[in-house]
Amino acid sequence: MEVMRNHNNGTTTKIIMKNGSIRNGNGNGNIVNGNSHSHGNGNIVNGNSHSHDNENKLVEYTNSIKPGWFSEFSALWPGEAFSLKIEKLLFQGKSDYQDVMLFESATYGKVLTLDGAIQHTENGGFPYTEMIVHLPLGSIPSPKKVLIIGGGIGFTLFEVSRYSTIEKIDIVEIDDVVVDVSRKFFPYLAAGFDDRRVTLVMGDGAAFVKAAQPGYYDAIIVDSSDPIGPAKDLFERPFFEAVAKALRPGGVVCTQAESIWLHMHIIKQIIANCRQVFKGSVNYAWTTVPTYPTGVIGYMLCATGGPEVNFKNPVNSIDNDNSHVKFKGPLKFYNSDIHKSAFILPTFAKDLIES
């Protein structure tokens, strides 16, 4: 789920219509004909391609573009795309900030996209949500005050509210349409906004953090979009300085931090910024998410100076407390062993991060 995003973000969505045409899912409603003809090079452009010189060799490729599919393309992962079969389009609209679409997929349940980028899938996004919440909250004893930036659909809030020690949860979401979609299509998530511990603030997450009372929060979870457009500010040093100021001594932050397969240059810059700001520990973790580019996503976990925080060894693991299961259901992905293993990196990533 993102906090801020503009329309010129390098992401292009293509929805393959049932009649074979391709619709650009950028809110402009343009329809591009799905049949193109190639005279010699055999390239597939916008749908079914036919080469008069090499038609037989193209058969296997034209079968990869089918009616009724959502496809995501982005400058952040050039040369590849991810597609899901659409069973039913549930919502499509434009807010003041972004294009919002929700559809029922054939394999992962409901799928939320913002400006054409997949943000969460109902049956495939739980590894991301459970890890972005339980990695930081499982690393400190008895968290009481938590800030969530973004996450207006409610999945992150759902996991945070498992902790009985938490007394205050502030969630800041810039887009009211995202919250409205949650209330209509995810009522079990929207119910979390009515938790007496929760204050929902509609506004700019970065501005909220800058204005926060110093030393107020035990943990801040930044459920952000990719570091392009306005969301780029959420990965820069001034934002991290504001986060560190809003945290108590020994407080923790966890933010989405891209894929080791595509974005090591971005990850290295984020780590450099965090090491300049946070006087406690600075760590990178990762997990698998089937509907994100390359199938993995990373997290930055940082602690302010004060009581030592060892992210690699959880002291408050939620899987040791079953009191939340009656109301929230069991965890699907996170456990203490997964927590520890999330910080074990492939050699190429470890070498680049430590260099």
Side-chain angles (χ1 to χ4, degrees):
M1 189 72 60
E2 70 180 21
V3 177
M4 295 177 287
R5 199 179 188 101
N6 70 353
H7 297 294
N8 186 23
N9 65 0
T11 302
T12 302
T13 308
K14 295 187 182 296
I15 304 174
I16 315 300
M17 310 300 285
K18 290 185 177 180
N19 62 2
S21 64
I22 298 180
R23 177 177 178 180
N24 290 324
N26 55 7
N28 61 17
N30 292 337
I31 302 294
V32 182
N33 193 297
N35 299 314
S36 67
H37 295 271
S38 170
H39 296 275
N41 61 13
N43 292 332
I44 301 173
V45 181
N46 292 345
N48 298 322
S49 173
H50 298 280
S51 168
H52 296 297
D53 298 333
N54 206 17
E55 188 165 4
N56 289 336
K57 292 184 179 180
L58 285 176
V59 172
E60 60 181 301
Y61 298 106
T62 58
N63 287 340
S64 68
I65 300 180
K66 299 180 180 181
W69 287 70
F70 167 90
S71 294
E72 179 186 40
F73 303 84
S74 175
L76 281 174
W77 43 93
E80 59 185 278
F82 182 75
S83 298
L84 288 173
K85 185 178 181 181
I86 299 174
E87 294 292 329
K88 183 179 181 181
L89 183 63
L90 301 174
F91 176 86
Q92 188 170 25
K94 183 186 293 289
S95 73
D96 292 337
Y97 303 96
Q98 57 205 346
D99 296 318
V100 182
M101 183 168 72
L102 183 75
F103 64 88
E104 187 76 35
S105 70
T107 49
Y108 293 106
K110 296 183 183 70
V111 178
L112 175 71
T113 75
L114 300 178
D115 275 348
I118 294 174
Q119 300 299 308
H120 199 86
T121 59
E122 189 175 30
N123 298 330
F126 56 87
Y128 168 80
T129 304
E130 291 188 16
M131 295 293 272
I132 201 172
V133 171
H134 303 308
L135 285 176
L137 296 187
S139 298
I140 56 175
S142 303
K144 292 181 173 60
K145 298 174 182 176
V146 178
L147 170 62
I148 304 170
I149 300 177
I153 203 72
F155 285 101
T156 304
L157 174 60
F158 184 87
E159 292 301 322
V160 170
S161 61
R162 288 183 185 271
Y163 291 82
S164 60
T165 61
I166 292 179
E167 301 169 355
K168 175 69 172 173
I169 306 171
D170 290 334
I171 178 169
V172 185
E173 169 61 54
I174 198 169
D175 198 336
D176 57 350
V177 173
V178 173
V179 177
D180 290 342
V181 167
S182 175
R183 294 190 188 280
K184 182 174 181 180
F185 296 99
F186 300 97
Y188 69 98
L189 296 176
F193 297 129
D194 299 324
D195 188 315
R196 61 175 178 78
R197 301 173 294 175
V198 174
T199 299
L200 173 63
V201 178
M202 302 307 305
D204 183 330
F208 184 92
V209 171
K210 291 177 182 178
Q213 177 182 333
Y216 184 76
Y217 293 103
D218 298 298
I220 296 176
I221 297 170
V222 187
D223 192 359
S224 72
S225 59
D226 296 311
I228 49 179
K232 185 175 185 293
D233 292 342
L234 302 180
F235 295 83
E236 301 290 346
R237 179 171 175 173
F239 175 72
F240 289 126
E241 288 174 340
V243 168
K245 184 179 178 181
L247 288 169
R248 64 163 172 80
V252 296
V253 60
C254 183
T255 183
Q256 183 271 117
E258 301 302 314
S259 167
I260 59 173
W261 295 108
L262 296 172
H263 307 124
M264 284 306 304
H265 60 295
I266 297 175
I267 294 168
K268 286 194 70 173
Q269 185 58 54
I270 296 171
I271 291 174
N273 288 333
C274 289
R275 284 175 176 164
Q276 291 175 345
V277 173
F278 293 96
K279 304 308 179 184
S281 56
V282 174
N283 293 268
Y284 185 86
W286 65 316
T287 195
T288 177
V289 182
T291 52
Y292 284 169
T294 73
V296 302
I297 196 71
Y299 309 94
M300 280 304 306
L301 291 117
C302 307
T304 57
E308 182 181 359
V309 177
N310 183 355
F311 287 108
K312 299 178 181 180
N313 289 290
V315 298
N316 185 37
S317 185
I318 192 68
D319 62 338
N320 292 329
D321 175 12
N322 291 323
S323 62
H324 58 88
V325 173
K326 179 179 178 181
F327 305 101
K328 299 289 184 179
L331 294 165
K332 296 180 180 180
F333 188 84
Y334 175 89
N335 57 55
S336 297
D337 291 332
I338 287 284
H339 183 126
K340 297 173 185 177
S341 66
F343 297 92
I344 301 174
L345 301 176
T347 300
F348 77 90
K350 181 179 179 182
D351 290 345
L352 283 171
I353 287 173
E354 294 179 352
S355 64

